[in-house]
Amino acid sequence: MKINVLNMAVLTVALALGTSCNQKSEQDAKIQALEDKISQLETGNTAVTPVNAQATSVSDPATQGAFEFPEMEHDFGAINEGQVVEHIFKFTNNGQAPLVISNITASCGCTSPDWSKAPVKPGDEGYVKVVFNSTAKSGAQAPTVSIQANTNPAVTRLRLKGTVTPKIAGAAAPVGPVKR
């Protein structure tokens, strides 16, 4: 009886080892197949295009305007909290077609843009006005505006920068009961 139990134990261990070796060789084969595929992709110079990619085409320079800003950043220095700073960025259209600004978005609600609404003919000047309101702001500030236009690249960013000095907490109306 002891010999039968011992034989069964040896047989079970042998089967377990054989099965795990079989599984190991199958895993090794799968790993090797994946490594072969990776190697083919690396050496084959095949471009993989995502399914959600949009077709692009080279745009004709004759249909584009071109910004030329003397400055893309304006430092307004140090101001006190609550002050409003305004700067006009002037630009020249150095493109071959009228430059059309379709939209300008600000990086935060403290900044509001205004711009040349009419198409700017080649060689003519246009403007982008940026107004920064420092109310409830303090420390270093760097708001930006993103311009979308018929240019290459399609988005151009302008930036204001400076430092806002916070109001002194005790300088406003007195807090608490007032003796009369």
Side-chain angles (χ1 to χ4, degrees), residues 64-68 91-99 119-126:
Q64 292 186 330
F67 283 120
E68 182 179 319
F91 66 86
T92 304
N93 178 3
N94 284 344
Q96 299 175 14
L99 192 149
V120 179
K121 295 178 183 174
D124 285 356
E125 286 189 352

Short mmCIF file of all heavy atoms in Angstrom, two decimals, residues 64-68 91-99 119-126:
data_model
loop_
_atom_site.label_atom_id
_atom_site.label_comp_id
_atom_site.label_asym_id
_atom_site.label_seq_id
_atom_site.Cartn_x
_atom_site.Cartn_y
_atom_site.Cartn_z
N GLN A 64 -2.60 81.21 -47.89
CA GLN A 64 -2.31 81.46 -46.48
C GLN A 64 -1.74 82.84 -46.26
O GLN A 64 -1.01 83.38 -47.09
CB GLN A 64 -1.29 80.44 -45.96
CG GLN A 64 -1.83 79.05 -45.88
CD GLN A 64 -0.84 78.12 -45.23
OE1 GLN A 64 0.36 78.32 -45.32
NE2 GLN A 64 -1.35 77.11 -44.56
N GLY A 65 -2.07 83.37 -45.09
CA GLY A 65 -1.43 84.59 -44.62
C GLY A 65 -0.25 84.18 -43.76
O GLY A 65 -0.05 83.00 -43.47
N ALA A 66 0.55 85.14 -43.35
CA ALA A 66 1.70 84.85 -42.48
C ALA A 66 1.89 86.00 -41.50
O ALA A 66 2.06 87.15 -41.91
CB ALA A 66 2.96 84.64 -43.31
N PHE A 67 1.81 85.68 -40.21
CA PHE A 67 2.04 86.68 -39.17
C PHE A 67 3.51 87.06 -39.11
O PHE A 67 4.38 86.20 -39.21
CB PHE A 67 1.68 86.12 -37.78
CG PHE A 67 0.21 86.06 -37.50
CD1 PHE A 67 -0.40 84.85 -37.22
CD2 PHE A 67 -0.56 87.21 -37.46
CE1 PHE A 67 -1.74 84.78 -36.92
CE2 PHE A 67 -1.91 87.15 -37.16
CZ PHE A 67 -2.50 85.93 -36.89
N GLU A 68 3.77 88.35 -38.91
CA GLU A 68 5.10 88.79 -38.50
C GLU A 68 4.89 89.79 -37.37
O GLU A 68 4.46 90.92 -37.59
CB GLU A 68 5.89 89.44 -39.63
CG GLU A 68 7.28 89.83 -39.16
CD GLU A 68 8.13 90.47 -40.23
OE1 GLU A 68 8.09 89.99 -41.37
OE2 GLU A 68 8.82 91.45 -39.91
N PHE A 91 0.93 93.43 -36.01
CA PHE A 91 1.56 92.44 -36.89
C PHE A 91 1.42 92.89 -38.33
O PHE A 91 0.58 93.73 -38.68
CB PHE A 91 0.94 91.05 -36.70
CG PHE A 91 -0.50 90.94 -37.11
CD1 PHE A 91 -0.86 90.66 -38.42
CD2 PHE A 91 -1.52 91.11 -36.18
CE1 PHE A 91 -2.18 90.57 -38.81
CE2 PHE A 91 -2.85 91.01 -36.54
CZ PHE A 91 -3.19 90.74 -37.87
N THR A 92 2.28 92.32 -39.18
CA THR A 92 2.22 92.53 -40.62
C THR A 92 1.92 91.20 -41.27
O THR A 92 2.46 90.17 -40.85
CB THR A 92 3.58 93.07 -41.14
OG1 THR A 92 3.89 94.27 -40.43
CG2 THR A 92 3.53 93.36 -42.63
N ASN A 93 1.08 91.21 -42.29
CA ASN A 93 0.79 89.99 -43.05
C ASN A 93 1.87 89.85 -44.12
O ASN A 93 1.87 90.58 -45.10
CB ASN A 93 -0.60 90.05 -43.68
CG ASN A 93 -0.90 88.81 -44.51
OD1 ASN A 93 -0.10 87.88 -44.59
ND2 ASN A 93 -2.03 88.82 -45.17
N ASN A 94 2.78 88.90 -43.92
CA ASN A 94 3.83 88.64 -44.90
C ASN A 94 3.50 87.46 -45.80
O ASN A 94 4.37 86.92 -46.46
CB ASN A 94 5.18 88.39 -44.20
CG ASN A 94 5.79 89.67 -43.69
OD1 ASN A 94 5.39 90.76 -44.09
ND2 ASN A 94 6.74 89.57 -42.79
N GLY A 95 2.25 87.06 -45.81
CA GLY A 95 1.82 85.94 -46.64
C GLY A 95 1.42 86.39 -48.02
O GLY A 95 1.51 87.57 -48.38
N GLN A 96 0.94 85.44 -48.82
CA GLN A 96 0.54 85.72 -50.20
C GLN A 96 -0.96 85.90 -50.33
O GLN A 96 -1.45 86.19 -51.41
CB GLN A 96 1.01 84.58 -51.11
CG GLN A 96 2.51 84.41 -51.12
CD GLN A 96 2.93 83.21 -51.93
OE1 GLN A 96 2.16 82.66 -52.69
NE2 GLN A 96 4.18 82.81 -51.77
N ALA A 97 -1.70 85.70 -49.25
CA ALA A 97 -3.16 85.82 -49.27
C ALA A 97 -3.60 86.67 -48.09
O ALA A 97 -2.85 86.85 -47.12
CB ALA A 97 -3.79 84.43 -49.17
N PRO A 98 -4.81 87.20 -48.14
CA PRO A 98 -5.31 87.94 -46.99
C PRO A 98 -5.32 87.06 -45.74
O PRO A 98 -5.71 85.90 -45.79
CB PRO A 98 -6.74 88.32 -47.40
CG PRO A 98 -6.70 88.33 -48.90
CD PRO A 98 -5.74 87.24 -49.27
N LEU A 99 -4.86 87.64 -44.63
CA LEU A 99 -4.80 86.91 -43.36
C LEU A 99 -6.13 87.10 -42.64
O LEU A 99 -6.58 88.22 -42.44
CB LEU A 99 -3.65 87.45 -42.51
CG LEU A 99 -3.26 86.63 -41.30
CD1 LEU A 99 -1.78 86.80 -41.02
CD2 LEU A 99 -4.05 87.01 -40.08
N PRO A 119 -10.24 90.93 -43.03
CA PRO A 119 -9.03 90.28 -43.55
C PRO A 119 -7.91 91.31 -43.75
O PRO A 119 -8.16 92.42 -44.21
CB PRO A 119 -9.47 89.69 -44.88
CG PRO A 119 -10.96 89.52 -44.75
CD PRO A 119 -11.40 90.65 -43.88
N VAL A 120 -6.69 90.93 -43.36
CA VAL A 120 -5.54 91.81 -43.48
C VAL A 120 -4.81 91.44 -44.78
O VAL A 120 -4.30 90.32 -44.91
CB VAL A 120 -4.60 91.68 -42.26
CG1 VAL A 120 -3.39 92.59 -42.41
CG2 VAL A 120 -5.36 92.00 -40.97
N LYS A 121 -4.78 92.36 -45.72
CA LYS A 121 -4.18 92.10 -47.03
C LYS A 121 -2.68 91.90 -46.90
O LYS A 121 -2.04 92.42 -45.97
CB LYS A 121 -4.47 93.26 -47.98
CG LYS A 121 -5.94 93.41 -48.31
CD LYS A 121 -6.16 94.61 -49.21
CE LYS A 121 -7.65 94.79 -49.46
NZ LYS A 121 -7.92 96.01 -50.20
N PRO A 122 -2.06 91.17 -47.84
CA PRO A 122 -0.60 91.00 -47.81
C PRO A 122 0.10 92.36 -47.78
O PRO A 122 -0.24 93.27 -48.53
CB PRO A 122 -0.30 90.25 -49.11
CG PRO A 122 -1.58 89.51 -49.41
CD PRO A 122 -2.67 90.43 -48.94
N GLY A 123 1.05 92.49 -46.84
CA GLY A 123 1.80 93.73 -46.68
C GLY A 123 1.15 94.71 -45.73
O GLY A 123 1.80 95.66 -45.29
N ASP A 124 -0.13 94.53 -45.39
CA ASP A 124 -0.82 95.44 -44.47
C ASP A 124 -0.62 95.01 -43.02
O ASP A 124 -0.16 93.91 -42.74
CB ASP A 124 -2.32 95.48 -44.78
CG ASP A 124 -2.63 96.28 -46.05
OD1 ASP A 124 -1.69 96.87 -46.63
OD2 ASP A 124 -3.81 96.30 -46.45
N GLU A 125 -1.00 95.94 -42.13
CA GLU A 125 -0.86 95.68 -40.69
C GLU A 125 -2.22 95.41 -40.06
O GLU A 125 -3.24 95.91 -40.51
CB GLU A 125 -0.22 96.88 -39.98
CG GLU A 125 1.25 97.02 -40.21
CD GLU A 125 1.89 98.07 -39.31
OE1 GLU A 125 1.16 98.81 -38.61
OE2 GLU A 125 3.12 98.16 -39.31
N GLY A 126 -2.18 94.62 -38.99
CA GLY A 126 -3.35 94.35 -38.18
C GLY A 126 -2.93 94.40 -36.72
O GLY A 126 -1.78 94.70 -36.40
#
